[in-house]
């Protein structure tokens, strides 16, 4: 649209200023890259929708796994959603809505099934975690913890990054990694506000929040309390093999892997997102002063701490007291959220500040995950993948299981990724002389660290809410991080786990 502006008269020695200056219309460039990825996603979906059939998958016992028309379409939808999420052709939460719409319109699943997953208990758990994060901020607890942390860690940005990652990973030993990330996220926002760059994205900001997401995943594998995947996986393993794994046995093997990964992630983060400033001069003194200004802890802060500790204690006791297992963890965390609203610590203003883009992202992730599971696509993929390695060296086979789980856990629930791969893997493992334990622990390790996609874990999505990085940057950092994870896992299988007493090969 043209604009006209009247100019003042010119002065001597300079060309005469015209009476009117007409600006050229604003040129809107066509985003061909975005259009390309929209069409690529649609093209893959329709290719698989219309293709007549795909070859059956056949497991080592000769059982055939056919892919139904709904299974083909689900595979196409899976590829389309992945492309649209990674390249952000539209808001990631809206891509999630498209997942439900496509399922209903193309009869992959009924609309009731497709959209019911949008309110899955896991999604409500994330919602509850975000409410706790808001309560931390609203009560002032976030600033108190951030200032205290900085007054201890100091001004070195590398040390700040390492300190925040250690705290995140340690918290994920005792509470679900989603809750750990929700607890740390507002603290990191407060720390970043002191970096002196406003809200604009920086490498320090990317390192801070990507590091939080990765370390939450790494820390969560060390105990059975870090997520639902470990107790669920142990239950499946017992059902398939008749062998039980205790709380401390699991930690014995996975604790070293978790902490090796935390420190390696820190190194990788410094390589990919080296902070612009080596130090934040005066930060320690500023943090100490700000902490002093806060004064004694307020009643609101104490109330939030009591509520959160209460939820964590009940969730922890569930692992030891069978009579408490019926309590749903989503309902437990939402109890804290309800208390915050009942006491008016949170109001409708905070409710409107909820990052619904992230909630919808996870809703769509649950919907496509359940879709792949229910129409048989996930099982078809698992059998195809694992049978490719049935003649390979035993280490290659075990790593192939871990890689499959790693890829799948970026798209579907990590518990589901284990559930579809473990039965087939345990059958093939017998032929190669591999013990069930090494197959189980390898799968459990990679299931906990989906570094590639935001939908792989709630901490990934929460970190994105910081607006410090794009999905492409997260994807780019996640590829080498995943490769490092597989290298560490191979070293654990060959050295650490045998030293700790794990049988690797059947004698």
């Amino acid at each position: 649209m043209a604009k006209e502006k009247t100019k003042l008269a010119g002065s001597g020695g300079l060309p005469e200023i015209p009476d009117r200056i007409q600006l050229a219309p604003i040129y809107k460039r066509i985003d061909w890259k975005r259009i390309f990825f929209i069409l690529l996603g649609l093209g893959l979906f329709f290719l698989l929708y219309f293709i007549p059939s795909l070859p059956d998958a056949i497991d080592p016992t000769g059982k055939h796994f056919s892919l139904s028309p709904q299974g083909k379409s689900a595979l196409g939808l899976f590829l389309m959603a992945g492309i649209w999420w990674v390249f952000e052709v539209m808001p990631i939460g809206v891509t999630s809505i498209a997942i439900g719409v496509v399922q209903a319109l193309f009869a992959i699943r009924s609309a009731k099934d497709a959209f019911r997953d949008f309110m899955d208990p896991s999604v409500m758990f994330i919602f509850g975690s975000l409410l706790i994060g808001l309560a931390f901020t609203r009560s002032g607890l976030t600033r108190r913890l951030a200032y205290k942390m900085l007054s201890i860690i100091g001004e070195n940005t590398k040390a700040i990054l390492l300190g925040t990652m250690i705290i995140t990973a340690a918290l994920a030993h005792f509470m679900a990694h989603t809750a750990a990330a929700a607890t740390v996220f507002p603290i990191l926002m407060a720390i970043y506000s002191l970096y002196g760059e406003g809200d604009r994205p920086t490498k320090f900001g990317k390192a801070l929040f990507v590091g939080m997401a990765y370390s939450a995943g790494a820390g969560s594998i060390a105990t059975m309390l870090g997520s639902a995947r470990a107790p669920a996986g142990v239950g499946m393993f017992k059902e398939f093999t008749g062998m039980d794994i205790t709380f401390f046995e699991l930690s014995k093997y996975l604790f070293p892997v978790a902490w090796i990964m935390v420190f390696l992630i820190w190194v990788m983060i410094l390589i990919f997102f080296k902070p612009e400033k080596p130090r934040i001069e005066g930060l320690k003194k500023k943090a100490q002063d700000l902490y002093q200004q806060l004064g004694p802890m307020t009643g609101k802060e104490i109330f939030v701490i009591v509520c959160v500790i209460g939820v964590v204690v009940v969730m922890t006791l569930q692992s030891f007291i069978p009579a408490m297992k019926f309590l749903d963890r989503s309902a437990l965390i939402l109890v804290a959220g309800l208390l915050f609203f009942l006491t008016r610590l949170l109001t409708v203003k905070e409710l409107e500040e909820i990052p619904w883009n992230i909630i919808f992202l996870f809703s769509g992730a649950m919907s496509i995950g359940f879709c792949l599971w229910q129409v048989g696509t996930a099982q078809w993929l698992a059998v195809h993948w694992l049978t490719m390695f049935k003649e390979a060296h035993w280490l290659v086979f075990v790593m192939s299981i871990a890689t499959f789980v790693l890829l799948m856990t970026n798209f579907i629930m990590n518990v589901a990724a284990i559930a579809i791969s473990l039965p087939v893997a345990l059958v093939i493992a017998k032929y190669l002389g591999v013990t069930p334990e090494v197959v189980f622990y390898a799968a459990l390790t990679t299931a906990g660290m989906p570094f590639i996609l935001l939908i792989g874990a709630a901490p990934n999505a929460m970190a994105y809410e910081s607006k410090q990085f794009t999905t492409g940057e997260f994807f780019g950092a996640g590829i080498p991080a995943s490769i490092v994870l597989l290298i560490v896992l191979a070293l654990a299988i060959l050295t650490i786990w045998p030293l700790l007493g794990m049988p690797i090969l059947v004698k």
Side-chain angles (χ1 to χ4, degrees):
M1 183 177 67
K3 292 184 178 179
E4 295 185 351
K5 185 185 288 186
T6 303
K7 303 290 292 184
L8 297 173
S11 58
L14 294 174
E16 185 177 351
I17 298 176
D19 294 334
R20 293 192 310 170
I21 297 177
Q22 183 168 340
L23 301 178
I26 297 172
Y27 176 66
K28 293 183 179 178
R29 296 185 62 183
I30 299 174
D31 190 348
W32 290 109
K33 180 181 173 184
R34 176 173 173 269
I35 293 172
F36 170 76
F37 285 117
I38 290 174
L39 294 177
L40 178 62
L42 288 172
L44 286 171
F45 171 72
F46 283 113
L47 174 66
L48 284 157
Y49 181 76
F50 286 113
I51 200 170
S53 63
L54 290 171
D56 290 356
I58 306 171
D59 75 6
T61 64
K63 185 178 178 183
H64 284 244
F65 293 84
S66 300
L67 195 59
S68 63
Q70 291 81 7
K72 284 193 298 102
S73 302
L75 184 59
L77 178 59
F78 170 69
L79 294 174
M80 185 187 86
I83 290 169
W84 285 11
W85 268 327
V86 170
F87 296 100
E88 288 187 271
V89 300
M90 58 183 177
I92 53 178
V94 181
T95 293
S96 292
I97 294 173
I99 287 172
V101 170
V102 172
Q103 286 182 64
L105 289 182
F106 291 88
I108 300 173
R109 287 195 303 165
S110 68
K112 186 176 180 181
D113 287 338
F115 289 110
R116 182 171 50 199
D117 299 335
F118 278 62
M119 291 300 284
D120 184 83
S122 297
V123 177
M124 297 312 295
F125 185 86
I126 295 167
F127 177 70
S129 301
L130 293 171
L131 290 180
I132 287 180
L134 285 173
F136 265 64
T137 303
R138 182 75 175 79
S139 66
L141 203 53
T142 296
R143 285 181 297 160
R144 184 179 296 279
L145 291 172
Y147 298 155
K148 188 64 180 176
M149 185 190 299
L150 291 173
S151 64
I152 295 172
I153 295 175
E155 302 171 347
N156 187 303
T157 49
K158 294 177 183 176
I160 293 171
L161 290 172
L162 180 60
T164 56
M165 289 173 64
I166 287 175
I167 289 170
T168 307
L171 282 175
H173 290 356
F174 306 101
M175 62 174 77
H177 63 333
T178 305
T183 304
V184 172
F185 179 81
I187 299 172
L188 299 193
M189 291 295 285
I191 290 175
Y192 187 70
S193 68
L194 298 173
Y195 191 58
E197 298 293 334
D199 293 332
R200 77 179 187 89
T202 64
K203 289 185 177 179
F204 178 70
K206 298 179 200 301
L208 200 60
F209 291 98
V210 174
M212 178 205 78
Y214 288 0
S215 55
S220 72
I221 71 166
T223 71
M224 283 198 193
L225 305 178
S227 72
R229 97 183 69 87
V234 168
M236 289 178 211
F237 186 72
K238 186 174 182 179
E239 186 175 338
F240 297 148
T241 65
M243 302 164 66
D244 200 7
I245 291 176
T246 66
F247 184 93
F248 295 103
E249 190 179 8
L250 183 136
S251 295
K252 180 176 77 171
Y253 295 124
L254 295 186
F255 190 88
V257 178
W259 281 99
I260 289 172
M261 280 307 299
V262 170
F263 286 101
L264 286 178
I265 289 166
W266 175 61
V267 173
M268 283 186 288
I269 288 292
L270 291 178
I271 294 171
F272 297 135
F273 308 118
K274 185 179 178 182
E276 296 84 351
K277 305 174 187 175
R279 300 182 67 82
I280 308 175
E281 298 297 341
L283 179 64
K284 185 171 184 175
K285 179 70 170 57
K286 185 176 180 181
Q288 289 172 337
D289 291 343
L290 289 169
Y291 185 78
Q292 292 297 324
Q293 291 173 16
L294 290 176
M297 192 171 282
T298 65
K300 289 181 178 177
E301 291 172 288
I302 294 171
F303 177 66
V304 172
I305 290 173
V306 169
C307 289
V308 173
I309 289 178
V311 171
V312 172
V313 167
V314 174
M315 287 185 183
T316 305
L317 290 176
Q318 282 185 295
S319 299
F320 303 99
I321 304 175
M324 296 179 67
K325 285 190 181 299
F326 76 95
L327 294 171
D328 184 82
R329 63 186 185 124
S330 304
L332 286 173
I333 203 164
L334 285 172
V335 167
L338 292 174
L339 288 173
F340 297 147
F341 281 102
L342 285 172
T343 54
R344 294 188 174 175
L345 178 66
L346 297 182
T347 64
V348 68
K349 180 175 178 292
E350 281 76 30
L351 191 62
E352 291 170 351
E353 291 174 359
I354 290 284
W356 293 106
N357 195 34
I358 301 304
I359 298 289
F360 276 119
L361 168 68
F362 245 80
S363 299
M366 296 304 295
S367 186
I368 187 65
F370 281 120
C371 179
L372 290 170
W373 170 265
Q374 290 173 2
V375 301
T377 310
Q379 193 173 34
W380 181 84
L381 286 170
V383 176
H384 259 307
W385 177 278
L386 294 177
T387 51
M388 284 194 301
F389 298 94
K390 64 182 179 183
E391 304 293 339
H393 184 273
W394 68 266
L395 181 60
V396 175
F397 168 69
V398 175
M399 293 307 298
S400 75
I401 299 165
T403 305
F404 177 80
V405 173
L406 179 63
L407 293 173
M408 292 302 290
T409 200
N410 275 283
F411 280 96
I412 63 176
M413 286 190 306
N414 43 41
V415 175
I418 293 174
I420 60 174
S421 57
L422 207 54
V424 184
L426 290 174
V427 170
I428 302 174
K430 289 180 183 175
Y431 292 97
L432 298 176
V434 179
T435 62
E437 290 94 329
V438 71
V439 171
F440 172 71
Y441 281 108
L444 203 58
T445 299
T446 52
M449 290 184 255
F451 293 152
I452 299 174
L453 297 179
L454 297 180
I455 58 169
N460 299 2
M462 287 182 187
Y464 180 73
E465 184 57 23
S466 68
K467 299 180 175 58
Q468 287 294 317
F469 58 87
T470 65
T471 54
E473 287 172 328
F474 192 83
F475 183 84
I479 297 292
S482 299
I483 293 171
V484 170
L485 169 61
L486 292 173
I487 293 171
V488 170
L489 176 61
L491 291 174
I493 293 170
L494 293 172
T495 58
I496 300 173
W497 290 349
L499 286 173
L500 293 173
M502 182 192 295
I504 304 297
L505 296 175
V506 177
K507 296 179 180 176

